Amino acid sequence: MIEDARTIMATRLLGSPAARTLGLALDSVATGMVCLRLPFAEHNVTEGLMIHGGVIATLADITAVAAAVSSAREPPGGGATSSLAISYLAPANGCALVATGRTLRSGTRQHVVRVEIADDTQRPIAEALVTVVLA
């Protein structure tokens, strides 16, 4: 299933216009766990060198969906995020970000994922709890 998950991530998730615009890249994938990288880019900032909170939330969202896909029993035809709660822990200033998504619960359709986002020195930036429904 991991190879199917990689294909879905490459074509549908990371191949989406939003992910391509942000510059997201897959670092690693295993069953129930995914790491995505967001390199620093000036078009992702809100002020000065501070990465926009919406960009960070989008990173959390895409990471959670990727983790859910890696946990799915069958390759999904589609899906959507049904809830996302994010806590910002520190500003992300002029740095790359790494998001690690771990599936906490994987059902037939619904998947609950925790996403931890850190800067490139492993300083915590944000944490999210995301529910993804795959069809």
Side-chain angles (χ1 to χ4, degrees), residues 9-76:
M9 287 175 213
T11 58
R12 292 194 224 159
L13 297 176
L14 299 178
S16 73
R20 285 194 326 261
T21 298
L22 294 176
L24 296 182
L26 180 66
D27 259 6
S28 64
V29 61
T31 302
M33 190 178 103
V34 172
C35 290
L36 296 184
R37 175 171 291 280
L38 174 69
F40 176 77
E42 287 187 14
H43 64 262
N44 290 336
V45 304
T46 185
E47 182 178 326
L49 296 177
M50 188 181 305
I51 299 172
H52 191 282
V55 170
I56 295 170
T58 301
L59 172 60
D61 182 30
I62 294 172
T63 302
V65 174
V69 167
S70 78
S71 301
R73 295 181 184 114
E74 299 290 328

Side-chain angles (χ1 to χ4, degrees), residues 56 89 98 107 115 126:
I56 295 170
L89 307 173
V98 176
V115 179

Side-chain angles (χ1 to χ4, degrees), residues 68-129:
V69 167
S70 78
S71 301
R73 295 181 184 114
E74 299 290 328
T81 298
S82 63
S83 72
L84 185 149
I86 189 163
S87 296
Y88 297 96
L89 307 173
N93 288 307
C95 58
L97 298 177
V98 176
T100 303
R102 290 181 178 84
T103 302
L104 302 176
R105 181 190 179 281
S106 186
T108 304
R109 292 182 40 144
Q110 186 169 294
H111 305 266
V112 179
V113 180
R114 173 176 289 128
V115 179
E116 297 171 340
I117 299 173
D119 68 12
D120 42 14
T121 67
Q122 299 183 349
R123 181 175 63 112
I125 298 297
E127 193 169 293
L129 188 62

